[in-house]
Amino acid sequence: MNQIFSIDNRFIQLLNKIFCAAWLNILWFLCCIPVFTIGASTTALYYVSFKLVRNEEGNITKQFFTAFRSNFKKATLIWLPLLGLGILFGIDGYVLYHIRLENVFWTLCGAVLICAGVVYLIVLLNVFPLFARFENTIPATFKNALVMGLRYLFCSILMAVVYFVIYYVIINIFTPFIVFGQGLGALICSWLILPILERLENNKDDVL
């Protein structure tokens, strides 16, 4: 019986990480409220999630806010262009969907928007984990996020699926699951992407 509740029990360790993810989700949400801070908050979320995956976590609240403060400026400069592009894509998509003209120009515009949206999503999924792991210039971080996301496209697809499933469950099946939301998504995605980042770290000429 003692072994069941031992901190060395893998099931207990998994539960602990899931509850840590829930707490990280709360911290992430609170720090995202001003909207322009979403970049710094997401960077901090991945920074601590990487530590959870590697069993290096300590005081996760302290680690989160330390990462939030230290990366605030660059993470915000990364996030604001992404926010602007996201709004632009949303407006363009809304307009194209509602005009729905049966001609070549409309089809071409739709295809271009879809391709641009896919590239945008790949960068969005990879840029903050990459920035949380490596120090680099902002242009290089964007470039590396795109190159890495395309090179390891299957990982990018899995990350997108993880977030889609989580938010589908929250919206359509079990709304209280929102308590785990982004925190659990970042934890699972960290488990997926961390081996890639470690591989790149050991071979810095590869992408970085």
Side-chain angles (χ1 to χ4, degrees):
M1 182 63 72
N2 289 336
Q3 291 181 349
I4 296 177
F5 296 100
S6 170
I7 59 173
D8 295 324
N9 182 284
R10 288 187 177 181
F11 179 70
I12 297 300
Q13 290 178 349
L14 178 61
L15 284 180
N16 178 63
K17 291 185 188 301
I18 291 174
F19 283 114
C20 286
W23 176 238
L24 282 173
N25 181 60
I26 293 170
L27 294 176
W28 174 83
F29 177 78
L30 291 174
C31 290
C32 284
I33 289 175
V35 179
F36 71 89
T37 58
I38 289 177
S41 188
T42 305
T43 302
L45 175 64
Y46 271 103
Y47 176 82
V48 182
S49 294
F50 287 152
K51 288 188 174 294
L52 284 170
V53 170
R54 299 183 68 180
N55 298 311
E56 296 175 352
E57 69 271 20
N59 186 323
I60 61 174
T61 304
K62 181 178 179 180
Q63 289 175 340
F64 180 91
F65 283 109
T66 298
F68 181 88
R69 288 192 298 269
S70 62
N71 295 300
F72 182 83
K73 183 177 179 179
K74 275 191 175 181
T76 302
L77 291 175
I78 289 172
W79 165 244
L80 291 180
L82 290 172
L83 176 61
L85 281 174
I87 294 171
L88 182 62
F89 281 137
I91 293 172
D92 288 345
Y94 179 85
V95 171
L96 277 175
Y97 177 78
H98 283 84
I99 59 175
R100 280 186 287 187
L101 300 175
E102 297 296 331
N103 57 44
V104 175
F105 179 74
W106 183 88
T107 303
L108 181 61
C109 288
V112 170
L113 184 63
I114 290 172
C115 292
V118 170
V119 171
Y120 173 81
L121 181 61
I122 289 172
V123 172
L124 185 64
L125 286 168
N126 289 279
V127 71
F128 294 112
L130 189 65
F131 182 61
R133 184 72 181 176
F134 298 110
E135 281 285 337
N136 214 331
T137 63
I138 292 174
T141 300
F142 275 116
K143 183 199 76 172
N144 290 335
L146 178 59
V147 172
M148 185 182 75
L150 290 172
R151 179 171 182 178
Y152 300 97
L153 186 60
F154 184 64
C155 180
S156 297
I157 293 171
L158 287 179
M159 290 170 69
V161 170
V162 166
Y163 283 116
F164 175 81
V165 170
I166 287 174
Y167 285 103
Y168 180 85
V169 170
I170 292 171
I171 295 170
N172 296 288
I173 300 176
F174 189 62
T175 303
F177 194 69
I178 196 173
V179 72
F180 297 102
Q182 186 75 12
L184 183 59
L187 182 63
I188 297 172
C189 289
S190 293
W191 178 74
L192 291 171
I193 200 173
L194 187 58
I196 294 172
L197 295 177
E198 290 177 339
R199 198 177 311 144
L200 295 176
E201 189 173 25
N202 293 329
N203 185 12
K204 293 188 177 181
D205 293 333
D206 201 355
V207 172
L208 302 172

